[in-house]
Amino acid sequence: MLDKAVVLIERDLRVVTAPNPGFMTGEGTNQYLIGVKRLTLIDAALGAGPNLERVRHEIAEAGASIEQILLTHIHPDHLGGAMELKSEFGARLGMHVSRKGYGGVVPDWTYDDGDEIPFDGGVLRVVH
């Protein structure tokens, strides 16, 4: 059963809200899991504690794995969470080319405006 922290928009799109409510995050940071069996996680939030448990639960519910993590922007919570989740799940990390090396992080690949990023269920087009 989905709690209010997880919203199933369509079969292949889940919004997972991290348990970090605050002035900048509202009820919590939204993270997006897209795909069927090889999931793409967009804008990872916290990589430990209750958020990690929520992400693990959603992956198990889908009978899936995380294949790649994409960051649409760089904030410390997203970057730290992405690195922890990358390590936890063995996923590839992608970020915009303008942020390569930010915070000492070297992504597995970079993308730029107009690029297409395939995922299990479709293709994303980068708009920067």
Side-chain angles (χ1 to χ4, degrees):
M1 177 177 168
L2 301 176
D3 62 28
K4 75 176 204 165
V6 177
V7 178
L8 181 62
I9 304 293
E10 291 189 19
R11 181 178 70 94
D12 303 339
L13 170 59
R14 289 176 171 80
V15 180
V16 181
T17 302
N20 63 335
F23 176 72
M24 297 297 290
T25 60
E27 289 185 27
T29 301
N30 285 334
Q31 310 158 95
Y32 306 89
L33 285 170
I34 61 172
V36 181
K37 295 295 179 189
R38 297 178 322 276
L39 303 176
T40 295
L41 174 62
I42 301 173
D43 287 340
L46 311 170
N51 188 58
L52 177 58
E53 292 309 312
R54 284 182 181 172
V55 172
R56 281 182 183 149
H57 174 78
E58 286 309 302
I59 293 167
E61 284 285 309
S65 62
I66 294 180
E67 180 176 71
Q68 58 189 1
I69 299 169
L70 306 176
L71 295 175
T72 65
H73 61 288
I74 305 296
H75 288 155
D77 61 333
H78 293 296
L79 191 58
M83 295 309 297
E84 290 176 28
L85 294 169
K86 172 183 168 42
S87 176
E88 169 84 14
F89 299 109
R92 298 175 53 228
L93 175 65
M95 65 175 52
H96 190 268
V97 67
S98 68
R99 297 297 186 238
K100 183 178 180 181
Y102 181 85
V105 174
V106 178
D108 296 301
W109 90 99
T110 59
Y111 45 82
D112 204 350
D113 188 53
D115 287 352
E116 292 187 343
I117 302 171
F119 71 95
D120 184 20
V123 176
L124 298 169
R125 177 165 291 135
V126 177
V127 177
H128 179 72

